[in-house]
Amino acid sequence: MLFNPQAMTRSLPPLDHTTYSIHRHWMNRAIELARVAREGGDVPVGAVIVDEQGSLLAQAGNRKEREQDATAHAEMLVLRAASRVRQSWRLNDCTLYVTLEPCPMCAGAIVQARIGLLVYGIDDPKTGAIRTVANLPDSACSNHRLEVIAGIRESECRRQLQSWFSRQRTANESGHL
């Protein structure tokens, strides 16, 4: 099932204070990487992958504009980097933190990498492929069931993206792009 994604999204047990604090810590790092991406001219999205011991494996911000590469989304970059560190494409015991719900390309790569847990900041009502527009992890085309937690540092992630898009619109209207 590709649409009506809310119908299949797994609900996880409520987060205890310690777990929530850990998720906030890593999302803070992803938010900082998104800020760096914004300063480089890219959509402010940041991503971090940590292993089962909570050690940082990889981090990246969007570099699509900077590298002129349509696949240079933060998630794709961080998955590649973590796989190089691990010397394996299987990241099933890792957690991926990202500020924005992944798009279809990134959702597919996350499923292929067998990420154990995805934690993201805000839903993407235009291209979200985890649960907002589509639910690739729970669809028939998925070979991996992905646990997901959404809404960690949601207001900060939303504010960062809205600010960037507002500036882009203003620049477009004034002819500065």
Side-chain angles (χ1 to χ4, degrees):
M1 174 169 201
L2 208 47
F3 293 97
N4 190 13
Q6 298 295 341
M8 297 181 76
T9 302
R10 275 186 258 313
S11 45
L12 297 175
L15 298 176
D16 60 63
H17 179 71
T18 302
T19 303
Y20 182 72
S21 293
I22 291 167
H23 292 327
R24 283 182 56 87
H25 167 78
W26 290 113
M27 190 60 74
N28 286 341
R29 182 64 191 137
I31 289 168
E32 176 60 24
L33 293 162
R35 184 189 61 74
V36 171
R38 179 190 71 218
E39 290 171 358
D42 277 287
V43 176
V45 176
V48 174
I49 293 182
V50 298
D51 66 15
E52 67 276 12
Q53 283 85 35
S55 299
L56 178 66
L57 287 180
Q59 57 186 351
N62 271 357
R63 294 196 307 254
K64 187 174 164 181
E65 292 297 328
R66 196 171 348 167
E67 295 182 8
Q68 291 300 299
D69 178 354
T71 68
H73 291 203
E75 301 95 311
M76 300 295 287
L77 297 169
V78 80
L79 286 167
R80 289 179 194 136
S83 292
R84 280 192 300 270
V85 168
R86 278 285 184 84
Q87 298 181 351
S88 175
W89 58 267
R90 290 179 183 87
L91 302 172
N92 54 303
D93 54 357
C94 296
T95 300
L96 168 60
Y97 294 89
V98 63
T99 55
L100 179 65
E101 178 183 9
C103 71
M105 173 183 68
C106 295
I110 290 164
V111 167
Q112 288 298 315
R114 312 256 195 310
I115 286 288
L117 174 64
L118 168 66
V119 179
Y120 70 86
I122 61 171
D123 291 337
D124 183 347
K126 293 190 180 209
T127 64
I130 299 298
R131 71 177 195 180
T132 306
V133 177
N135 184 335
L136 291 181
D138 286 336
S139 73
C141 68
S142 179
N143 61 347
H144 171 67
R145 294 297 173 235
L146 176 66
E147 291 191 5
V148 177
I149 298 172
I152 302 295
R153 302 288 318 268
E154 181 176 10
S155 61
E156 295 87 345
C157 295
R158 177 173 279 103
R159 195 169 24 255
Q160 193 174 47
L161 279 159
Q162 286 176 338
S163 171
W164 188 83
F165 280 109
S166 176
R167 273 183 279 195
Q168 292 300 110
R169 278 190 295 278
T170 300
N172 282 337
E173 290 166 4
S174 65
H176 287 99
L177 273 184

